Amino acid sequence: MDFSNVTRLPIGGPGGTRSARAELRPAYDRRTGMFSLQLWKGGRRLADLVGFRHADEPLSAVNSFLAAHGVRALTVDEAMVLYAGLIQAKDGPNWLALRYPGRCADRPAPSAPGRAARLHRRIAVWWGRQR
């Protein structure tokens, strides 16, 4: 899998059209230790979804956030790529585990608590299958 595309997630139009209507950009603020998502449309930053301590937390709020801005909901595959983008934005051991799933998929990164560890493990296994 090419990891160069996890910093920006283009969201196609309704009905499966491939042209990107919007783009989500995952971010991590090292100063505050918080994850966030930036919604971009037409080359402009439209809105931010902020205030998440763990990388899996924005996934439960992203579809309602997108709906509020007239953007379709994410597919499961897009949500997994978004999660990988959030992990990459923070960097560290979780990113290494996603980068090298064959070596790390059977054990979560030590910093990932409970639910996040299970999600991280599922995504690492899924990501390994996409290669």
Side-chain angles (χ1 to χ4, degrees):
M1 185 73 172
D2 179 14
F3 283 97
S4 64
N5 66 350
V6 297
T7 58
R8 297 172 183 224
L9 177 66
I11 304 169
T17 58
R18 289 209 175 265
S19 62
R21 303 279 178 158
E23 183 176 270
L24 276 176
R25 297 182 187 177
Y28 179 75
D29 184 346
R30 294 188 191 291
R31 189 174 40 83
T32 62
M34 303 293 264
F35 289 95
S36 64
L37 297 173
Q38 301 171 354
L39 178 63
W40 290 69
K41 272 183 154 179
R44 292 186 178 171
R45 190 168 167 177
L46 182 64
D48 293 334
L49 182 61
V50 298
F52 301 100
R53 284 265 173 228
H54 303 287
D56 65 320
E57 294 173 348
L59 299 179
S60 60
V62 69
N63 285 336
S64 58
F65 170 72
L66 292 173
H69 295 285
V71 179
R72 70 162 175 80
L74 297 181
T75 65
V76 173
D77 285 352
E78 287 170 335
M80 289 186 177
V81 171
L82 178 61
Y83 177 74
L86 288 162
I87 294 296
Q88 183 196 32
K90 184 176 180 183
D91 206 4
N94 292 345
W95 175 237
L96 290 176
L98 278 181
R99 236 10 244 259
Y100 306 104
R103 294 184 219 158
C104 305
D106 59 335
R107 60 186 185 278
S111 63
R115 191 177 98 207
R118 286 189 300 277
L119 179 63
H120 180 83
R121 192 169 35 250
R122 277 183 31 218
I123 289 174
V125 169
W126 172 85
W127 203 289
R129 289 184 193 139
Q130 300 304 307
R131 291 180 169 200

